[in-house]
Amino acid sequence: MPARPAQVSAPPPRFPRDAWALAALEREGLLPAYAAERLRAEAPEWVAAAVVDQGLAPADQVAVILASAARVPVANLDRVEPAAVQFLTETVARQHAALPLSATNKAIRIATANPLDYDAERALGFVAGRQVEFQYALPGPLARRLDEVYRPERSIERLVSGLGAQATIETVVEERDAGETASASVEAPAARLVDATIADAVRERASDIHFEPGESGLVIRYRVDGVMREVMRVPRSAAGAVTRRLKITAKLDISDPLHPQDGRTAARVDGKAWDLRVSSIPISRYGEKIVVRLLDPASATLKLDAIGLWPDEMAAVEGLLGNRDGIVLVTGPTGSGKTSTLYAALDRVRTTGINVVTVEDPVEYHLPGVNQIQVSEKSGLTFAAALRSVLRQDPDVVLLGEIRDLETAQTAWQAALSGHFVLSTLHTNDAAASIARLRDIGVEAFKLASALRGVLAQRLLRRLCPRCSEPVSAESLPRAARPPQGFERPVTVKAAEGCSHCGFTGYRGRFAIEEILTVDGTIAELIARGSLGDQIVESARRYGMRTLWEAGIRRVWTGETAYDEVVRVVGEPPVKAAVTAMPAAAPATEPTVPLVLVADDDPAMRTLEGAILQAEGFAVVAAEDGVAALEQAQRLQPAILLLDMDMPRLDGFGVLEALRRRLTGRSVPVIVVTAHDDPVTETRCIELGAEDYITKPIQPARLVARIRAVLRRTGVIQ
Ligand SMILES: [Zn+2]
């Protein structure tokens, strides 16, 4: 039999094909008499379609009434077994407005808009060679589903045209494999859909696109301003073609759907270049989930003042970045903008003549003039190993992608304690948690206190849409949202309804808020003594630190964001905890444990002296050379400095001279601990202001006795 072209509507019928539906809807009181009269005169092809299209009754109600009138169930069109489809050709299916849903050896279940058509039932039963069980479906959805099942390219074209403006995208695509089995009719539309989706996502300011397969097809979602939004569903029959196209675009292996894969490609949208990171993850029996990350290469040149900080936050950040050695950490959960801030910070400290090296996994953005090293755990180039090799080139500034383990932490600390400035990230919620986390993975308290210059805990809050946000009464805010202390600006609390400018979310764009812990004298002492969490936060707040919650609430009172957004991102308001059981360490205001700074370039000596002093109840920090010793002494104001004479960068004499010159206020008592057992050196040290002079090898009891004597003289202990 020669194939005929598919016909959806042949010559206009004299009667509606579902004429019985008119009486059924009238009987149930769903159709007023005048409307029924008009439909009789119009004689549409399908009564049910006309009723729904003209808005005379809701679709689901019409379906339920007509199914019950025909004594069949309502069909679920999402459940179409591909195996059942093959029993009916497209022509037969369209002719009878029938879609196979499932089949057994004896029966075939078919969705139809006309279950009372017994001729159709006989004909379909004959063609399929099975007993027919009808279910009811409205003509409109049924026709769309027929398209999806038999003509997937049509439904893709409909999605593409729904995306509006044509994409001007240039993706690099390799030739298809010779063994490619997919029908060419779907490939071209699938390619257009992928391109149009990427262009659309860019215009919607999405950071990534998720293609997630499920029972009803491929769900496409965008993440915009950190929040996922569903944008369309691709019918299951076309899902494979779209997934395949995405994988080909990123040069992933389309013959392997069972293993996660990563790839990349580039695209140009509206004249601007984008990097696309494509990853495939096998997630279910429906296939692979594909995630496309959209990276704007311009983000690499992101400036610190573009992340939306308040002036005081900016000043504190700049203060931390003014360090020339030590470590500054940026912390926060995934999606808190850590990496962007890190790059912006790097941009700030980068000046000509400074040697900057990065160690990353992966290298996200390429920075001109910067030596960037890609970590590769597979081939043994771990963060720690890469960092060690980098340090041999003696860079001034190191950007270390992330500190995940003790080995990396130890290498980072070693770099920071020997005159390098290290910027890195940590996956913790806030500044205090970072201290706890570093202690957890094994960084000793005295090393933490010695090298850590500060922690930036960061979150991104969505900015209320400028077009549709309106001032609202501050009365609408819960009590937890009291204006922050010292808040002097005029109050402008706002809320947004949503409009086309913001994708009807009420928000457009994001800005960063920071909790900035600056590790200076008091905080360093607390850390050196092993204090954690609450105690550090308490003390830092006394010195003006703002918690993330406070930083967020402040932006509510300026009308930049909404209270709900702060709760969504930062979490529920903090409960004012009653005084919890105090740990053994003393509170910040009355330090009773003397802090001792050990300056020695020999790690064995630092460890030995540290162990002796800690056993005697002292808090210990360390410095690896003279410059670090001087810097630590000024910053931490220790109760005593144990000073080695032979150190790189600046020897003991240099430290003593500089201390005498620079410190006008409280002076730091110095005990020289040296291998030089000669009266000339000793005399000179005492002349330069040293309190005492001990020669190596040291004897623990003697060392402690001398320290106590000095501390008694300076009034630190009784
Ligand atoms: Zn809006």
Side-chain angles (χ1 to χ4, degrees):
M1 194 165 64
R4 289 187 311 164
Q7 289 183 345
V8 179
S9 50
R14 276 160 299 171
F15 300 106
R17 292 175 70 175
D18 59 347
W20 56 275
L22 205 53
L25 292 172
E26 242 186 323
R27 198 165 53 235
E28 291 295 324
L30 207 63
L31 214 54
Y34 75 90
E37 217 41 57
R38 200 179 66 211
L39 285 172
R40 260 186 207 98
E42 282 173 6
E45 183 184 3
W46 296 101
V47 168
V51 168
V52 172
D53 291 348
Q54 295 175 19
L56 297 170
D60 46 356
Q61 230 170 330
V62 173
V64 167
I65 284 173
L66 295 184
S68 122
R71 297 170 190 280
V72 297
V74 177
N76 178 358
L77 294 179
D78 285 340
R79 296 178 176 240
V80 177
E81 286 179 7
V85 172
Q86 64 185 12
F87 290 113
L88 298 185
T89 64
E90 183 186 354
T91 311
V92 170
R94 287 188 189 276
Q95 186 185 344
H96 297 289
L99 174 67
L101 298 175
S102 62
T104 64
N105 281 343
K106 291 182 179 159
I108 182 164
R109 190 166 289 163
I110 295 177
T112 177
N114 198 5
L116 297 184
D117 184 342
Y118 299 110
D119 289 341
E121 188 178 334
R122 255 199 314 280
L124 292 169
F126 177 74
V127 171
R130 281 160 174 76
Q131 171 97 34
V132 169
E133 293 170 14
F134 273 151
Q135 297 194 348
Y136 181 74
L138 288 168
L142 186 71
R144 278 196 292 279
R145 203 72 181 95
L146 278 168
D147 266 356
E148 287 173 9
V149 170
Y150 288 104
R151 294 289 178 99
E153 74 277 11
R154 276 198 207 168
S155 45
I156 294 186
E157 293 297 1
R158 208 158 36 222
L159 289 172
V160 172
S161 66
L163 287 174
Q166 270 308 297
T168 51
I169 205 154
E170 302 158 10
T171 41
V172 193
V173 180
E174 283 181 341
E175 287 302 306
R176 276 221 313 277
D177 287 357
E180 185 58 35
T181 51
S183 76
S185 67
V186 194
E187 295 298 312
R192 277 198 295 280
L193 179 66
V194 167
D195 290 359
T197 304
I198 290 168
D200 184 57
V202 165
R203 284 174 200 139
E204 292 289 319
R205 301 178 299 109
S207 58
D208 40 49
I209 315 170
H210 295 233
F211 299 81
E212 201 164 335
E215 191 175 13
S216 64
L218 200 61
V219 178
I220 303 183
R221 297 188 295 163
Y222 298 164
R223 190 193 300 280
V224 180
D225 292 337
V227 178
M228 298 292 282
R229 180 200 299 172
E230 181 175 329
V231 285
M232 71 178 104
R233 278 167 190 263
V234 178
R236 204 169 141 197
S237 52
V242 171
T243 304
R244 202 155 41 240
R245 167 70 188 186
L246 282 164
K247 290 185 75 173
I248 291 170
T249 304
K251 302 180 194 69
L252 302 185
D253 181 2
I254 53 171
S255 66
D256 177 9
L258 298 177
H259 297 95
Q261 296 181 53
D262 288 299
R264 57 197 294 178
T265 182
R268 182 167 285 276
V269 180
D270 300 336
K272 195 172 164 214
W274 291 80
D275 279 342
L276 310 186
R277 300 291 155 81
V278 182
S279 55
S280 71
I281 315 138
I283 55 158
S284 67
R285 62 197 176 95
Y286 300 110
E288 297 159 277
K289 173 174 176 167
I290 309 274
V291 178
V292 178
R293 285 188 65 204
L294 302 167
L295 297 178
D296 178 359
S299 299
T301 55
L302 184 74
K303 299 284 185 247
L304 206 51
D305 38 22
I307 64 177
L309 298 182
W310 259 37
D312 59 349
E313 289 170 329
M314 189 69 180
V317 171
E318 283 183 329
L320 287 181
L321 295 179
N323 284 294
R324 282 293 157 260
D325 62 358
I327 289 193
V328 169
L329 294 172
V330 183
T331 184
T334 305
S336 57
K338 290 194 295 279
T339 310
S340 297
T341 301
L342 206 58
Y343 275 96
L346 189 65
D347 179 73
R348 177 59 60 106
V349 299
R350 223 170 96 194
T351 51
T352 46
I354 283 194
N355 180 11
V356 179
V357 179
T358 76
V359 178
E360 300 165 87
D361 183 23
V363 171
E364 296 241 314
Y365 301 105
H366 290 278
L367 304 169
V370 173
N371 189 2
Q372 292 177 282
I373 297 183
Q374 163 86 57
V375 165
S376 169
E377 304 271 347
K378 264 186 230 158
S379 54
L381 190 64
T382 60
F383 267 114
L387 182 56
R388 274 194 297 272
S389 72
V390 156
L391 290 176
R392 283 195 279 276
Q393 304 169 7
D394 201 28
D396 301 297
V397 179
V398 180
L399 184 150
L400 181 64
E402 192 184 351
I403 294 177
R404 292 179 196 157
D405 51 41
L406 179 59
E407 200 192 356
T408 310
Q410 275 172 339
T411 319
W413 249 259
Q414 190 191 334
L417 285 168
S418 55
H420 308 277
F421 185 48
V422 181
L423 286 164
S424 190
T425 70
L426 202 61
H427 194 92
T428 52
N429 278 335
D430 54 33
S434 303
I435 310 284
R437 168 98 183 102
L438 288 164
R439 292 297 312 280
D440 271 356
I441 62 176
V443 181
E444 297 101 315
F446 75 92
K447 279 196 178 169
L448 257 186
S450 309
L452 190 63
R453 298 290 178 267
V455 183
L456 307 179
Q458 176 171 308
R459 294 291 188 284
L460 295 174
L461 295 179
R462 288 183 296 166
R463 192 184 292 283
L464 281 167
C465 172
R467 297 249 175 102
C468 64
S469 60
E470 301 273 354
V472 294
S473 159
E475 304 292 310
S476 63
L477 293 177
R479 290 190 50 182
R482 278 183 294 258
Q485 267 192 338
F487 188 86
E488 285 161 4
R489 299 200 161 196
V491 168
T492 45
V493 179
K494 286 186 182 175
E497 289 286 320
C499 66
S500 62
H501 185 60
C502 56
F504 301 94
T505 59
Y507 297 96
R508 194 179 159 94
R510 287 190 288 181
F511 57 87
I513 54 168
E514 310 277 353
E515 172 180 303
I516 301 161
L517 177 71
T518 302
V519 180
D520 51 14
T522 312
I523 304 297
E525 271 188 53
L526 282 172
I527 295 173
R529 291 202 191 98
S531 303
L532 293 174
D534 291 350
Q535 229 182 326
I536 292 172
V537 171
E538 286 268 308
S539 178
R541 289 189 62 198
R542 241 173 282 152
Y543 288 94
M545 185 185 86
R546 212 180 298 275
T547 62
L548 279 169
W549 175 262
E550 291 162 336
I553 287 300
R554 178 163 71 161
R555 305 299 194 101
V556 173
W557 289 88
T558 55
E560 289 169 278
T561 195
Y563 177 75
D564 291 348
E565 175 68 359
V566 178
V567 173
R568 182 184 75 85
V569 174
V570 181
E572 291 298 322
V575 186
K576 269 276 174 241
V579 181
T580 44
M582 265 298 178
T589 41
E590 18 184 310
T592 54
V593 182
L595 184 71
V596 178
L597 172 59
V598 175
D600 202 306
D601 60 330
D602 177 1
M605 275 307 293
R606 291 197 300 271
T607 306
L608 175 64
E609 291 179 25
I612 295 168
L613 295 171
Q614 274 168 338
E616 290 293 321
F618 295 106
V620 181
V621 289
E624 299 195 359
D625 63 36
V627 174
L630 200 55
E631 193 277 332
Q632 303 273 49
Q634 284 175 300
R635 200 166 59 89
L636 303 177
Q637 294 284 310
I640 207 156
L641 164 60
L642 297 186
L643 182 67
D644 179 31
M645 291 312 286
D646 301 313
M647 287 186 296
R649 292 211 288 170
L650 185 67
D651 66 11
F653 293 126
V655 173
L656 283 169
E657 275 169 10
L659 275 177
R660 204 166 58 160
R661 248 194 344 263
R662 288 196 210 173
L663 289 180
T664 49
R666 177 184 152 196
S667 62
V668 177
V670 177
I671 297 179
V672 172
V673 182
T674 178
H676 295 279
D677 190 5
D678 68 281
V680 179
T681 309
E682 181 171 351
T683 310
R684 192 162 165 223
C685 283
I686 302 296
E687 278 170 3
L688 282 170
E691 294 281 336
D692 205 343
Y693 190 92
I694 301 175
T695 51
K696 296 175 183 173
I698 54 170
Q699 293 164 319
R702 188 166 152 217
L703 178 68
V704 172
R706 298 281 192 97
I707 288 175
R708 288 199 194 283
V710 170
L711 291 178
R712 269 196 297 276
R713 274 210 295 283
T714 53
V716 174
I717 58 171
Q718 309 250 305

